[in-house]
Amino acid sequence: MRCDDCDEPAAIDQPYAAAHLCARHFSRSVEERVRREMHRQAPRFPGGVVAVALSGGKDSSVALQLTHRHFSRRPNVHLIALTIDEGIPGYRPATVEAARALTGRLGVEHRLVSARERLGTTTDETARARPEVVPCSFCGVWRRRLLNDAAREVGADLLVLGFNLDDLAQTVLMNLARGDVDRIPRMAPHRQRQPGLVPRIAPLATVPEREVFLYAHLEGLPFDHGVCPHADRASRNVFREVVWRLEEELPGTRHALLKTQRRIAELLSAPALVGAPNRCVDCGEAAAGERCRPCEYLKSMGRPSPAMVGP
Ligand code: SF4
Ligand SMILES: [Zn+2]
Ligand SMILES: [Zn+2]
């Protein structure tokens, strides 16, 4: 099979677009899709501090590389990479090393944020103490909080996340399947500034996971292939399989789910529908109920709620 744009052999097929591309045209197409999303999700960005959530895996490494390239001619943009260490020995240390290698190569400032220091506990410790709870439930909630706190501490105007098309399609389906439609407008990118939250964007939103992997590989990015030892318990796995099956049978389903997210976000973007958040009684951050979810988890584990408030 040949590339649609030149005589080189195709490096990838894209059934959802009925396209075949060689390595060079494929890399260009990824860069173009990410550039378009950057402009779409953060239009007329005036400059400032841009934080990039960098786990050291393929997605966030590609997000950092392309964000760095996107802003490379903007002296008024300062990039900072943030890595959350949830405390998962045997998994996180290798990804932290990969994150250090990439930030070193790009010359980007890098900060490591430790759950042990900030929360007084770690994902592994809590998983051992509460084996009946799926670790991703508290780990994900705590990581989002630590990221937002760290982004505020560095004065970030924007927080870049590495979610790819598969991740977002799975999240849309998960929220729909659970009846959590009101969560869909809160997914990145943020159309409206939410109090206390650094606006998040997801510039890899239209790039499928396998294409992110291929791009990271072709670019020779240092990234870690490791899988978290708790990942097999995540309820997301079911949705990953469902999305794979749907995409195989009906190419373009992931893009349709992304469109669903955007349409619902538009329909529900009126402030009265999104609603003003309460304040958490423990930490003072925005909360849907009496307590924010990070504090709810800490309380249910019998842990005190530390002051998780940035400047
Ligand atoms: S897979 Fe689950 S437990 Fe592991 S780092 Fe991700 S959210 Fe945390
Ligand atoms: Zn080509
Ligand atoms: Zn709280």
Side-chain angles (χ1 to χ4, degrees), residues 192-260:
Q192 289 170 338
R193 242 195 138 84
Q194 298 173 44
L197 269 192
V198 177
R200 287 173 283 182
I201 63 167
L204 308 188
T206 57
V207 186
E209 178 167 21
R210 83 190 251 268
E211 296 187 27
V212 176
F213 179 82
L214 180 60
Y215 182 82
H217 180 73
L218 291 170
E219 286 288 301
L221 296 186
F223 68 93
D224 188 73
H225 296 71
V227 177
C228 172
H230 304 296
D232 58 345
R233 292 184 64 197
S235 51
R236 176 176 286 275
N237 294 336
V238 177
F239 291 92
R240 176 175 295 118
E241 273 170 38
V242 170
V243 169
W244 271 342
R245 287 252 6 240
L246 281 168
E247 186 67 30
E248 216 169 64
E249 296 285 329
L250 304 161
T253 300
R254 291 169 302 187
H255 289 85
L257 284 165
L258 182 66
K259 202 169 148 194
T260 301

